[in-house]
Amino acid sequence: MTKIYNYLNNKIWKSNNRTIWNSSISSGLIVCLSAILFLFPMTLSTAYASSNDKQDKNSMVSGQELEKPKPVFTRNGSEISAKLIPRAKSTSVTLNFKVTKGGKLLDVKGMDFEKAARPEVDIKNYKSALFVVEIGDVSPAGSDATVNISSDFFASGTEYRVFNEKLPQPWFNSECHNVASKGRVRELMITVKDGGPFDSDGQANGSITFVGGPRDSFWGYALGTLFIRFFGIFLVLGVLMIGMMLSGMFFSRADSKNGAKESDDDLNSTSSDVVDSVSSDPEIIAEENVVEAQHDSEEIAPNADAEAKFFDEAVDDYEIAAAIATALHLHFQTSAPAPIVIEKTEPTATFQRVVCPVQQTNTWSNDGRSQIMRERQQTYNRTNR
Amino acid sequence: MSWSQVLELIQNILITQTGIPHVTWGQGVMLLIGLLFLYLAIAKEYEPLLLLPIGFGIFLVNFPLTPLMGFTEHGTPELIRVFYKYGVEWEVIPCVIFLGLGAMTDFGPLIANPKTLIIGAGAQLGVFVTYIGVLFFGFTLKEAASVGIIGGADGPTTIYLTAKLAPHLLGANALAAYSYMAMVPLIQPPIMRLMTTEAQRKIKMSQLRYVSPREKLLFPLIAITLIVLLIPAVAPLMGMFMFGNLMRESGVVKRLSDTAQNSLMNIVTIFLGLSVGATMKAEVFLNWKPLLIFGFGLLDFVICTFGGILTVHIMNLFLKDKMNPLIGSAGVSAVPMSARVSHVEGLKADPNNWLLMHAMGPNLAGVIGSAAAAGMFIAMFQ
């Protein structure tokens, strides 16, 4: 074990910058860690759950239990509204019940799904609970009444399923009419016959007890929303990408314009500075090109103080520039002969691309790049996430 | 007072005022799990800033009769419950962490190559596959969404979404997210090698263009406008993220930016870690759901990595300047670890291939992508 530990430790944690990891070791570690994380607690948890009598059952939290809709009913004239937070929702919805024809709405109550649970029925399809609708004054007894249930929570595919435990097949579709109403509201219109299969009391006695609930396909919703939302992310980030490309074009254009203007200004000012400075320097005067500059600058040089100042700065700049030029020259002489190619373009709407030399194999440049990358890694080290 | 009365008194004290008789072996298991995470944080330096407080939270809260995560008889929350209630339940801490992250983030690589945003979207594949996968195991839609987001590899986003949709899974989800984020260098390379050829790993990408400070300054404003218009539900997270970045890029509020990056971030990290760890009491944690979450979390990371690389392959079919598919794995947020992994894998294929800055683009896109996925889920349940 010690050998294995040492091997792993050396191989993984103390290898060169912790970076060169053997894939088989990686896979092995994943498996080991997974085993620790899964198998160990899994064995114990099963035993624990079955053996611990003192365990508080309420603390074994179930998502289904937490999301159980708890409708609150309010009556407004002949209409009863149920306000509830359906399963898979965080905001409340309102379902309005009324009897439009053939009777009077007496009461609407919520019903626990467990009372109507059957193996063939999936509770997930019933997002907004079950309701017991009581209708009275059905006259004549045994006639039909029309129940109207409206909500903006219903979709065009919403059905209303009826539960009647007295029937051999207690769950069945009410074949309701699902019609669009004002705004996003949809209405489910169900015709219920007194004493018919929808009537839980089973008697044509002038009152109807109608148990059921709106049903939406859980898997249809889950899969549908999966695709919509996954491609929604592409859409959002695509829009952001287009926005950034446009802003990038705008800024590149603006920057290149400014850059061109500044470089023109710099060029003008530098040439005049150079000219001013070299005109006072006896050593540089000997240089042929500077002599030319001197001739051009005779009219420009304003006064002696300014000349001296420009002279000092220009000499410094020249020294630095010469050092950089020498270094670059030596570097590119010693490395592969890949010249710097700068695609100089006029300021346009496209990016001004600078094509850098192909990455060289020279030790000096590699060391430099390694240094830069190490510094960048430090910059991007956000370990306290 | 007789001896029997003294003994009865001692017995009463032992039973009612000390924890020893109340220790269950479930708590023992949780103490060991707490110690395991402390070990990973301290000895292995696996996301220590989060796993250490989480580990200690697990350890502390699983001693019996501790007045830490409950409520008093008067309904006053106990110590860690206060942190949890006002920090996590009220969804404050994840947003404050996003503020700090925004202040730490340089969006330059993303702005220079906006195409990488698509990789960030593609790398969310695992989030949705896991979302469907866990539904088959009886999870509710809200639970499935909160488990799916683990693959986004973004701790604060995971905590934010879970606290909103399935707070009872908070501990397991946060732990899975941070554990796997720490294991990114172990999880990703085999998948990267599996999905790329030697030649593809050697692809060199052209240097990123220069991004001006003005462009960086305007980026948070442009990004937040577009994102919040399309997904208003993500405004708390992205709003704080972009606000933090604006503070950074403006350069005029250095003190605020520094505070957001350092002091504030550190303070909320302490409370976040401790309160997340404290949600993992034995009676809540030791059931099959957290175990499934860990299983699917790993799968989620794998598929997200796969999705990111696949997206680059697809993009390369249409691009003139090919992208190195290794940067696809960086689409899983986990900043900057997954970018580093891409860089390291690139170096293995070609010691002169420097992918770090190229990989930072999809990496940052992954942050936005996972927040967008979280926003999508929140909107779905509204």
Side-chain angles (χ1 to χ4, degrees), chain A residues 13 21 23 33 38 44 48 59-60 63 66-67 88-91 221 225-226 229 232 237 241 248 251 255 356 359 366 369 373 376-377 380 382 384-385, chain B residues 25-26 29 46-47 49-50 105 117 128 140 142-143 154 168 178 183 185 193 207 212 214-215 218 283 291 294-295 335-336 352 354 357 360 376 381-382:
Chain A
W13 297 109
W21 295 354
S23 66
L33 205 61
F38 294 96
L44 294 177
Y48 176 71
S59 60
M60 296 288 279
L66 285 174
E67 291 184 27
K89 282 276 167 190
S90 302
T91 49
Y221 177 72
T225 198
L226 167 87
R229 288 173 200 281
L237 296 194
M241 180 186 78
F251 279 109
D255 288 342
C356 281
Q359 292 164 352
N366 280 342
R369 289 193 183 105
M373 287 299 157
R376 280 177 175 169
Q377 284 192 332
Y380 286 100
R382 303 192 327 188
N384 47 349
R385 296 193 68 190
Chain B
W25 65 274
V29 171
Y46 270 22
E47 288 281 337
L49 295 175
L50 258 302
T105 304
L117 273 165
F128 291 89
T140 66
K142 286 183 178 178
E143 289 174 333
D154 202 323
H168 55 288
Y178 281 110
M183 286 163 62
R193 286 194 284 270
Q207 186 168 327
S212 69
R214 264 192 306 180
E215 205 172 342
L218 281 181
E283 58 267 31
L291 304 171
F294 271 87
V335 182
N352 296 311
W354 312 90
M357 295 312 285
M360 281 311 294
M376 290 281 180
F381 297 114
Q382 275 178 346

Coordinates of all heavy atoms in Angstrom, one line a residue, chain A residues 13 21 23 33 38 44 48 59-60 63 66-67 88-91 221 225-226 229 232 237 241 248 251 255 356 359 366 369 373 376-377 380 382 384-385, chain B residues 25-26 29 46-47 49-50 105 117 128 140 142-143 154 168 178 183 185 193 207 212 214-215 218 283 291 294-295 335-336 352 354 357 360 376 381-382:
Chain A
W13 N 1.0 14.0 -7.8 CA 1.0 15.3 -7.1 C 2.4 16.0 -7.1 O 2.5 17.1 -6.9 CB 0.6 15.1 -5.7 CG -0.8 14.7 -5.6 CD1 -1.3 13.5 -5.3 CD2 -1.9 15.4 -6.0 NE1 -2.6 13.4 -5.4 CE2 -3.1 14.6 -5.8 CE3 -2.1 16.8 -6.5 CZ2 -4.3 15.1 -6.1 CZ3 -3.4 17.2 -6.7 CH2 -4.5 16.3 -6.6
W21 N 0.1 14.1 -16.3 CA -0.6 13.0 -15.6 C -0.9 11.8 -16.6 O -1.4 12.0 -17.6 CB -1.9 13.5 -15.0 CG -1.7 14.5 -13.9 CD1 -0.5 14.9 -13.4 CD2 -2.7 15.3 -13.3 NE1 -0.7 15.9 -12.5 CE2 -2.0 16.1 -12.4 CE3 -4.1 15.4 -13.4 CZ2 -2.7 17.0 -11.6 CZ3 -4.7 16.2 -12.6 CH2 -4.1 17.1 -11.7
S23 N -2.9 9.0 -18.0 CA -4.4 8.9 -18.1 C -4.9 7.7 -17.3 O -6.0 7.7 -16.8 CB -4.8 8.8 -19.6 OG -4.3 7.6 -20.1
L33 N -12.1 7.2 -6.2 CA -12.8 8.3 -5.4 C -14.3 8.0 -5.5 O -15.1 8.2 -4.6 CB -12.5 9.6 -6.0 CG -12.6 10.8 -5.1 CD1 -11.8 10.6 -3.8 CD2 -12.3 12.1 -5.7
F38 N -19.4 6.7 -3.3 CA -20.7 6.0 -3.6 C -20.9 4.7 -2.7 O -21.8 4.7 -1.9 CB -20.8 5.6 -5.0 CG -20.9 6.7 -6.0 CD1 -19.8 7.2 -6.6 CD2 -22.1 7.3 -6.2 CE1 -19.8 8.3 -7.5 CE2 -22.2 8.4 -7.0 CZ -21.1 8.9 -7.6
L44 N -23.8 1.9 3.9 CA -24.1 2.3 5.2 C -25.5 3.0 5.2 O -26.3 2.8 6.2 CB -23.1 3.3 5.7 CG -21.7 2.7 5.9 CD1 -20.7 3.8 6.4 CD2 -21.7 1.6 7.0
Y48 N -28.5 2.2 7.5 CA -28.9 3.2 8.4 C -30.4 3.5 8.4 O -31.1 3.6 9.3 CB -28.0 4.5 8.1 CG -28.4 5.7 9.0 CD1 -28.0 5.7 10.3 CD2 -29.1 6.7 8.4 CE1 -28.4 6.8 11.1 CE2 -29.4 7.8 9.2 CZ -29.0 7.9 10.5 OH -29.3 8.9 11.3
S59 N -37.7 14.5 8.3 CA -36.5 15.1 7.8 C -36.0 14.4 6.5 O -35.2 14.8 5.8 CB -35.3 15.0 8.8 OG -35.1 13.7 9.2
M60 N -36.6 13.2 6.2 CA -36.3 12.5 4.9 C -37.1 13.3 3.9 O -38.2 12.9 3.5 CB -36.7 11.0 5.0 CG -35.9 10.2 6.0 SD -34.2 10.0 5.5 CE -34.4 8.6 4.4
G63 N -38.9 15.4 -2.7 CA -39.2 16.5 -3.6 C -40.7 16.6 -3.9 O -41.3 17.6 -3.9
L66 N -42.5 18.0 -1.0 CA -42.3 19.4 -0.9 C -43.1 20.2 -2.0 O -43.5 21.3 -1.7 CB -40.8 19.8 -1.1 CG -39.9 19.5 0.0 CD1 -38.4 19.8 -0.4 CD2 -40.2 20.4 1.2
E67 N -43.2 19.6 -3.1 CA -43.9 20.3 -4.2 C -45.4 20.1 -4.3 O -46.1 20.5 -5.2 CB -43.3 19.9 -5.6 CG -41.9 20.4 -5.7 CD -41.3 20.0 -7.1 OE1 -42.1 19.9 -8.1 OE2 -40.1 19.9 -7.2
A88 N -43.6 21.6 -10.1 CA -42.6 22.1 -11.1 C -42.9 23.6 -11.4 O -42.6 24.1 -12.5 CB -42.7 21.3 -12.4
K89 N -43.4 24.3 -10.4 CA -43.5 25.8 -10.6 C -43.1 26.5 -9.3 O -43.2 25.9 -8.2 CB -45.0 26.1 -10.9 CG -45.4 25.9 -12.3 CD -45.1 27.0 -13.2 CE -45.2 26.7 -14.7 NZ -44.6 27.7 -15.5
S90 N -42.7 27.7 -9.4 CA -42.3 28.5 -8.2 C -43.3 29.6 -8.0 O -43.2 30.2 -6.9 CB -40.9 29.0 -8.4 OG -40.0 28.0 -8.7
T91 N -44.2 29.8 -8.9 CA -45.1 30.9 -8.7 C -46.5 30.3 -8.8 O -46.8 29.3 -9.3 CB -45.0 32.0 -9.9 OG1 -45.0 31.3 -11.1 CG2 -43.7 32.8 -9.7
Y221 N -43.5 17.6 -21.6 CA -43.1 18.9 -21.1 C -41.6 18.8 -20.8 O -40.8 19.7 -21.3 CB -43.8 19.2 -19.8 CG -43.4 20.5 -19.2 CD1 -43.7 21.7 -19.8 CD2 -42.7 20.6 -18.0 CE1 -43.3 23.0 -19.3 CE2 -42.3 21.8 -17.5 CZ -42.6 22.9 -18.1 OH -42.2 24.1 -17.5
T225 N -39.2 21.0 -23.2 CA -38.4 22.1 -22.6 C -36.9 21.9 -22.6 O -36.2 22.9 -22.7 CB -39.0 22.4 -21.2 OG1 -38.6 23.7 -20.8 CG2 -38.4 21.4 -20.2
L226 N -36.5 20.6 -22.6 CA -35.1 20.3 -22.7 C -34.5 20.9 -24.0 O -33.5 21.6 -24.0 CB -34.9 18.8 -22.6 CG -33.5 18.3 -23.0 CD1 -32.6 18.4 -21.8 CD2 -33.5 17.0 -23.6
R229 N -34.8 24.8 -24.3 CA -33.9 25.6 -23.4 C -32.4 25.4 -23.8 O -31.6 26.3 -23.6 CB -34.2 25.3 -21.9 CG -35.5 25.9 -21.5 CD -36.0 25.6 -20.2 NE -37.5 25.9 -20.2 CZ -38.0 27.1 -20.1 NH1 -37.2 28.2 -20.0 NH2 -39.3 27.3 -20.2
G232 N -32.0 27.4 -26.6 CA -32.2 28.8 -26.1 C -30.8 29.4 -25.6 O -30.5 30.5 -25.8
L237 N -26.4 33.1 -26.2 CA -24.9 33.3 -26.4 C -24.6 33.7 -27.9 O -23.7 34.5 -28.1 CB -24.1 32.1 -26.0 CG -24.2 31.7 -24.5 CD1 -23.1 30.8 -24.1 CD2 -24.1 33.0 -23.6
M241 N -22.8 36.9 -28.9 CA -21.6 36.8 -29.8 C -21.7 37.9 -30.9 O -20.8 38.6 -31.2 CB -21.5 35.4 -30.4 CG -20.4 35.2 -31.4 SD -20.4 33.6 -32.2 CE -21.7 33.9 -33.4
G248 N -16.9 44.8 -31.5 CA -15.5 44.6 -31.8 C -15.1 45.3 -33.1 O -14.1 46.0 -33.1
F251 N -15.2 49.1 -32.4 CA -14.0 49.6 -31.6 C -12.7 49.4 -32.4 O -11.8 50.3 -32.4 CB -13.9 48.8 -30.3 CG -14.8 49.3 -29.3 CD1 -15.9 48.6 -28.9 CD2 -14.6 50.6 -28.7 CE1 -16.8 49.1 -27.9 CE2 -15.4 51.1 -27.7 CZ -16.5 50.3 -27.3
D255 N -10.5 52.4 -33.1 CA -9.1 52.4 -32.6 C -8.1 52.6 -33.7 O -7.1 53.3 -33.6 CB -8.8 51.1 -31.9 CG -9.5 51.0 -30.5 OD1 -9.9 52.1 -30.0 OD2 -9.6 49.9 -29.9
C356 N 1.7 37.1 -36.2 CA 3.0 37.0 -35.5 C 3.8 35.9 -36.1 O 3.3 35.0 -36.7 CB 2.7 36.8 -34.0 SG 2.3 38.3 -33.2
Q359 N 5.5 30.1 -33.9 CA 6.2 29.9 -32.6 C 7.4 29.1 -32.9 O 7.4 28.1 -33.5 CB 5.2 29.2 -31.7 CG 4.1 30.1 -31.3 CD 2.9 29.4 -30.6 OE1 2.9 28.2 -30.6 NE2 2.0 30.1 -30.1
N366 N 11.3 30.1 -26.2 CA 10.4 29.2 -25.4 C 10.4 29.6 -23.9 O 9.4 29.6 -23.3 CB 10.8 27.7 -25.6 CG 10.3 27.2 -26.9 OD1 9.4 27.7 -27.5 ND2 10.9 26.1 -27.3
R369 N 8.3 32.6 -23.5 CA 6.9 32.3 -23.6 C 6.4 31.6 -22.3 O 5.3 31.8 -21.8 CB 6.6 31.5 -24.8 CG 6.7 32.2 -26.1 CD 6.1 31.5 -27.3 NE 6.3 32.3 -28.5 CZ 7.2 32.0 -29.4 NH1 7.9 31.0 -29.3 NH2 7.3 32.8 -30.5
M373 N 3.4 32.8 -19.9 CA 2.3 31.9 -19.6 C 2.2 31.7 -18.1 O 1.1 31.7 -17.5 CB 2.4 30.6 -20.3 CG 2.2 30.7 -21.8 SD 0.5 31.3 -22.1 CE 0.7 31.9 -23.7
R376 N 0.6 34.7 -16.7 CA -0.8 34.7 -17.1 C -1.6 33.8 -16.2 O -2.7 34.0 -15.8 CB -1.0 34.4 -18.5 CG -0.7 35.6 -19.4 CD -0.9 35.2 -20.9 NE -0.7 36.4 -21.7 CZ -0.5 36.3 -23.0 NH1 -0.5 35.2 -23.6 NH2 -0.4 37.4 -23.7
Q377 N -1.0 32.6 -15.9 CA -1.7 31.6 -15.1 C -1.9 32.2 -13.7 O -2.9 32.0 -13.1 CB -0.9 30.3 -15.0 CG -1.0 29.5 -16.3 CD -0.5 28.1 -16.1 OE1 0.4 27.9 -15.3 NE2 -1.0 27.2 -16.9
Y380 N -4.8 34.5 -13.9 CA -6.1 33.8 -14.0 C -6.3 32.8 -12.8 O -7.1 31.9 -12.9 CB -6.2 33.2 -15.3 CG -6.5 34.2 -16.4 CD1 -5.5 34.6 -17.2 CD2 -7.7 34.7 -16.6 CE1 -5.7 35.5 -18.2 CE2 -7.9 35.7 -17.5 CZ -6.9 36.1 -18.3 OH -7.2 37.0 -19.3
R382 N -8.0 31.9 -10.0 CA -9.1 32.3 -9.2 C -9.6 31.1 -8.4 O -10.6 30.6 -8.6 CB -10.3 32.8 -10.1 CG -9.9 33.9 -11.0 CD -11.1 34.5 -11.6 NE -12.2 33.6 -11.8 CZ -13.3 33.9 -12.5 NH1 -13.5 35.0 -12.9 NH2 -14.2 33.0 -12.7
N384 N -10.4 30.9 -5.4 CA -11.4 31.0 -4.3 C -12.8 31.1 -4.9 O -13.6 31.9 -4.5 CB -11.1 32.2 -3.4 CG -10.8 33.5 -4.1 OD1 -10.5 33.4 -5.3 ND2 -10.7 34.6 -3.5
R385 N -13.1 30.3 -5.9 CA -14.4 30.2 -6.4 C -15.2 29.2 -5.5 O -14.7 28.2 -5.2 CB -14.5 29.8 -7.8 CG -13.8 30.7 -8.7 CD -14.1 30.4 -10.1 NE -15.5 30.7 -10.3 CZ -16.2 30.4 -11.4 NH1 -15.7 29.7 -12.3 NH2 -17.5 30.6 -11.5
Chain B
W25 N -24.9 5.9 14.5 CA -23.8 5.6 13.7 C -24.0 6.3 12.3 O -23.0 6.5 11.6 CB -23.6 4.1 13.6 CG -24.7 3.3 13.0 CD1 -25.8 2.8 13.6 CD2 -24.8 2.9 11.6 NE1 -26.6 2.2 12.7 CE2 -26.0 2.2 11.5 CE3 -24.0 3.1 10.5 CZ2 -26.4 1.7 10.3 CZ3 -24.4 2.6 9.3 CH2 -25.6 1.9 9.2
G26 N -25.1 6.8 12.0 CA -25.3 7.6 10.8 C -24.5 8.9 11.0 O -23.8 9.4 10.1
V29 N -20.9 8.2 10.5 CA -20.6 8.1 9.0 C -20.4 9.5 8.5 O -19.4 9.8 7.8 CB -21.7 7.4 8.2 CG1 -21.5 7.5 6.7 CG2 -21.8 6.0 8.6
Y46 N -7.7 20.3 -2.6 CA -8.8 20.3 -3.6 C -9.8 21.4 -3.2 O -10.5 21.3 -2.2 CB -9.6 19.0 -3.4 CG -9.1 17.8 -4.3 CD1 -7.9 17.8 -4.8 CD2 -10.0 16.8 -4.5 CE1 -7.5 16.7 -5.6 CE2 -9.6 15.7 -5.3 CZ -8.3 15.7 -5.9 OH -7.9 14.6 -6.7
E47 N -9.9 22.4 -4.0 CA -10.7 23.6 -3.7 C -10.8 23.9 -2.2 O -11.9 23.9 -1.6 CB -12.2 23.3 -4.2 CG -12.3 23.3 -5.7 CD -12.4 24.7 -6.3 OE1 -12.8 25.6 -5.6 OE2 -12.1 24.8 -7.5
L49 N -10.6 26.5 -0.4 CA -11.4 27.6 0.2 C -12.8 27.3 0.4 O -13.5 27.9 1.2 CB -11.3 28.8 -0.8 CG -9.9 29.4 -0.9 CD1 -9.8 30.5 -1.9 CD2 -9.4 29.9 0.5
L50 N -13.3 26.3 -0.3 CA -14.7 25.9 -0.1 C -14.8 24.6 0.6 O -15.7 24.4 1.5 CB -15.4 25.8 -1.5 CG -16.4 26.9 -1.9 CD1 -17.4 27.1 -0.9 CD2 -15.6 28.2 -2.1
T105 N -12.5 39.1 -13.1 CA -12.4 38.5 -14.4 C -12.0 39.5 -15.5 O -12.5 40.6 -15.5 CB -13.8 37.9 -14.8 OG1 -14.2 37.0 -13.8 CG2 -13.8 37.3 -16.2
L117 N -18.0 31.9 -27.5 CA -19.2 31.9 -26.7 C -20.0 30.7 -27.1 O -20.7 30.1 -26.2 CB -20.0 33.2 -27.0 CG -19.7 34.4 -26.1 CD1 -20.3 35.6 -26.7 CD2 -20.2 34.2 -24.7
F128 N -28.3 19.3 -19.5 CA -29.6 18.9 -20.0 C -29.8 17.4 -20.0 O -30.8 16.9 -19.8 CB -30.0 19.6 -21.3 CG -30.1 21.1 -21.1 CD1 -29.1 22.0 -21.2 CD2 -31.4 21.6 -20.8 CE1 -29.2 23.3 -21.0 CE2 -31.5 23.0 -20.6 CZ -30.5 23.8 -20.7
T140 N -37.9 15.1 -9.1 CA -38.9 16.0 -9.7 C -38.2 16.9 -10.7 O -37.0 17.0 -10.7 CB -39.5 16.9 -8.6 OG1 -38.5 17.7 -8.0 CG2 -40.2 16.1 -7.5
K142 N -37.8 20.1 -10.6 CA -37.0 21.1 -10.0 C -35.7 20.5 -9.4 O -34.6 21.0 -9.6 CB -37.7 21.7 -8.8 CG -38.8 22.7 -9.2 CD -39.4 23.3 -8.0 CE -40.5 24.3 -8.3 NZ -41.1 24.9 -7.1
E143 N -35.8 19.3 -8.9 CA -34.6 18.6 -8.4 C -33.7 18.3 -9.6 O -32.5 18.4 -9.5 CB -35.0 17.3 -7.7 CG -35.7 17.5 -6.3 CD -36.2 16.2 -5.7 OE1 -36.5 15.3 -6.5 OE2 -36.3 16.2 -4.5
D154 N -19.9 25.5 -12.0 CA -19.9 26.8 -11.4 C -20.5 26.7 -10.1 O -21.8 26.6 -10.0 CB -20.6 27.8 -12.4 CG -20.2 29.2 -12.1 OD1 -19.9 29.5 -10.9 OD2 -20.1 30.0 -13.1
H168 N -33.5 21.3 -0.4 CA -33.1 20.1 0.4 C -32.0 19.3 -0.2 O -31.4 18.4 0.4 CB -34.4 19.2 0.6 CG -35.0 18.8 -0.8 ND1 -35.7 19.8 -1.5 CD2 -35.0 17.7 -1.5 CE1 -36.1 19.2 -2.6 NE2 -35.7 17.9 -2.6
Y178 N -18.3 21.3 -6.2 CA -17.0 21.7 -5.9 C -16.0 20.5 -5.9 O -14.8 20.7 -6.3 CB -17.0 22.3 -4.5 CG -17.5 23.8 -4.6 CD1 -18.7 24.2 -4.0 CD2 -16.7 24.8 -5.2 CE1 -19.1 25.5 -4.1 CE2 -17.1 26.1 -5.3 CZ -18.4 26.4 -4.8 OH -18.8 27.7 -4.9
M183 N -11.7 18.2 -9.3 CA -11.2 17.0 -10.0 C -11.1 17.2 -11.6 O -10.9 16.2 -12.3 CB -12.0 15.8 -9.7 CG -11.7 15.3 -8.3 SD -13.0 14.2 -7.7 CE -12.9 12.9 -8.9
P185 N -8.8 18.4 -13.5 CA -7.6 17.9 -14.1 C -7.5 16.4 -14.2 O -6.7 15.8 -14.9 CB -6.5 18.4 -13.2 CG -7.1 19.5 -12.4 CD -8.5 19.2 -12.3
R193 N -8.4 13.4 -24.8 CA -7.6 12.6 -25.7 C -8.4 11.7 -26.5 O -8.1 11.4 -27.7 CB -6.6 11.8 -24.8 CG -5.5 12.7 -24.3 CD -4.3 11.9 -23.8 NE -4.6 11.4 -22.5 CZ -4.4 12.0 -21.3 NH1 -3.8 13.2 -21.3 NH2 -4.7 11.4 -20.2
Q207 N -2.9 34.5 -33.0 CA -2.9 35.3 -31.8 C -4.2 36.1 -31.7 O -4.7 36.6 -32.7 CB -1.7 36.2 -31.8 CG -1.5 36.9 -30.5 CD -0.2 37.6 -30.5 OE1 0.8 37.1 -31.0 NE2 -0.2 38.8 -29.8
S212 N -9.1 46.9 -26.6 CA -8.8 48.2 -26.0 C -9.6 48.3 -24.6 O -10.6 47.6 -24.4 CB -9.3 49.3 -26.9 OG -10.7 49.3 -26.9
R214 N -11.4 50.6 -23.6 CA -12.7 51.1 -23.8 C -13.7 50.0 -24.1 O -14.8 49.9 -23.7 CB -12.8 52.1 -25.0 CG -12.6 53.5 -24.5 CD -13.0 54.4 -25.7 NE -12.1 54.1 -26.8 CZ -12.2 54.8 -28.0 NH1 -13.1 55.8 -28.1 NH2 -11.4 54.4 -29.0
E215 N -13.2 49.0 -24.9 CA -14.1 47.9 -25.3 C -14.3 47.0 -24.0 O -15.5 46.5 -23.9 CB -13.3 47.1 -26.3 CG -14.2 46.3 -27.2 CD -13.4 45.6 -28.4 OE1 -12.3 46.1 -28.6 OE2 -14.0 44.7 -29.0
L218 N -17.0 48.7 -21.9 CA -18.3 48.7 -22.4 C -18.9 47.2 -22.4 O -20.1 47.1 -22.5 CB -18.4 49.3 -23.8 CG -18.5 50.8 -23.8 CD1 -18.6 51.3 -25.2 CD2 -19.6 51.3 -23.0
E283 N -29.5 12.5 8.9 CA -30.8 12.1 8.5 C -31.3 12.6 7.1 O -32.2 12.1 6.5 CB -31.8 12.5 9.6 CG -31.9 13.9 9.9 CD -31.0 14.3 11.0 OE1 -29.9 13.7 11.2 OE2 -31.3 15.3 11.8
L291 N -26.4 10.2 -3.3 CA -25.5 9.2 -4.0 C -25.7 9.3 -5.5 O -24.8 9.3 -6.2 CB -25.7 7.8 -3.4 CG -25.6 7.7 -1.9 CD1 -26.0 6.3 -1.5 CD2 -24.1 7.9 -1.5
F294 N -24.2 12.4 -6.8 CA -22.7 12.3 -7.1 C -22.4 11.5 -8.3 O -21.6 11.9 -9.1 CB -22.0 11.6 -5.9 CG -21.6 12.6 -4.8 CD1 -22.4 13.0 -3.8 CD2 -20.3 13.2 -4.9 CE1 -22.1 14.0 -2.9 CE2 -19.9 14.1 -4.0 CZ -20.8 14.5 -3.0
G295 N -23.2 10.5 -8.6 CA -23.0 9.7 -9.8 C -23.3 10.5 -11.0 O -22.5 10.6 -12.0
V335 N -13.4 28.1 -13.9 CA -12.3 29.0 -14.2 C -11.2 29.0 -13.1 O -11.6 29.1 -11.9 CB -12.9 30.4 -14.4 CG1 -11.8 31.4 -14.8 CG2 -14.0 30.4 -15.4
P336 N -10.0 29.0 -13.4 CA -9.4 28.8 -14.7 C -8.9 27.4 -14.9 O -8.1 27.2 -15.8 CB -8.2 29.8 -14.6 CG -7.7 29.6 -13.1 CD -9.0 29.3 -12.4
N352 N 5.3 23.7 -28.1 CA 5.3 25.1 -28.5 C 3.8 25.6 -28.8 O 3.7 26.6 -29.4 CB 6.1 25.3 -29.8 CG 7.5 25.0 -29.5 OD1 8.1 25.5 -28.5 ND2 8.1 24.1 -30.3
W354 N 0.7 27.2 -27.3 CA 0.2 27.9 -26.1 C -1.2 28.2 -26.2 O -1.7 29.1 -26.9 CB 1.1 29.2 -25.9 CG 2.5 28.9 -26.1 CD1 3.2 29.0 -27.3 CD2 3.5 28.5 -25.1 NE1 4.5 28.6 -27.1 CE2 4.7 28.4 -25.8 CE3 3.4 28.3 -23.8 CZ2 5.8 28.0 -25.1 CZ3 4.5 27.9 -23.1 CH2 5.7 27.7 -23.7
M357 N -4.5 31.4 -23.3 CA -5.4 32.5 -23.5 C -6.5 32.2 -24.5 O -7.6 32.7 -24.3 CB -4.6 33.7 -24.1 CG -3.5 34.2 -23.2 SD -4.2 34.6 -21.5 CE -5.1 36.0 -21.8
M360 N -9.1 30.5 -22.4 CA -9.8 31.4 -21.4 C -11.1 31.9 -22.0 O -12.1 32.2 -21.3 CB -8.9 32.6 -21.0 CG -7.9 32.3 -20.0 SD -8.5 31.4 -18.5 CE -9.6 32.7 -17.8
M376 N -32.4 29.8 -17.5 CA -33.4 29.1 -18.3 C -34.3 28.2 -17.4 O -35.5 28.1 -17.5 CB -32.7 28.2 -19.3 CG -32.1 28.9 -20.4 SD -33.3 29.4 -21.7 CE -32.3 30.2 -22.8
F381 N -39.6 27.4 -14.3 CA -40.5 27.2 -13.2 C -41.2 28.4 -12.7 O -41.9 28.3 -11.7 CB -39.6 26.6 -12.1 CG -39.0 25.3 -12.4 CD1 -37.6 25.2 -12.5 CD2 -39.7 24.2 -12.7 CE1 -37.0 24.0 -12.9 CE2 -39.2 23.0 -13.1 CZ -37.8 22.9 -13.2
Q382 N -41.1 29.4 -13.4 CA -41.9 30.6 -13.0 C -43.3 30.5 -13.4 O -43.7 29.9 -14.4 CB -41.3 31.9 -13.6 CG -40.1 32.4 -12.8 CD -39.4 33.6 -13.4 OE1 -39.7 33.9 -14.6 NE2 -38.6 34.3 -12.6

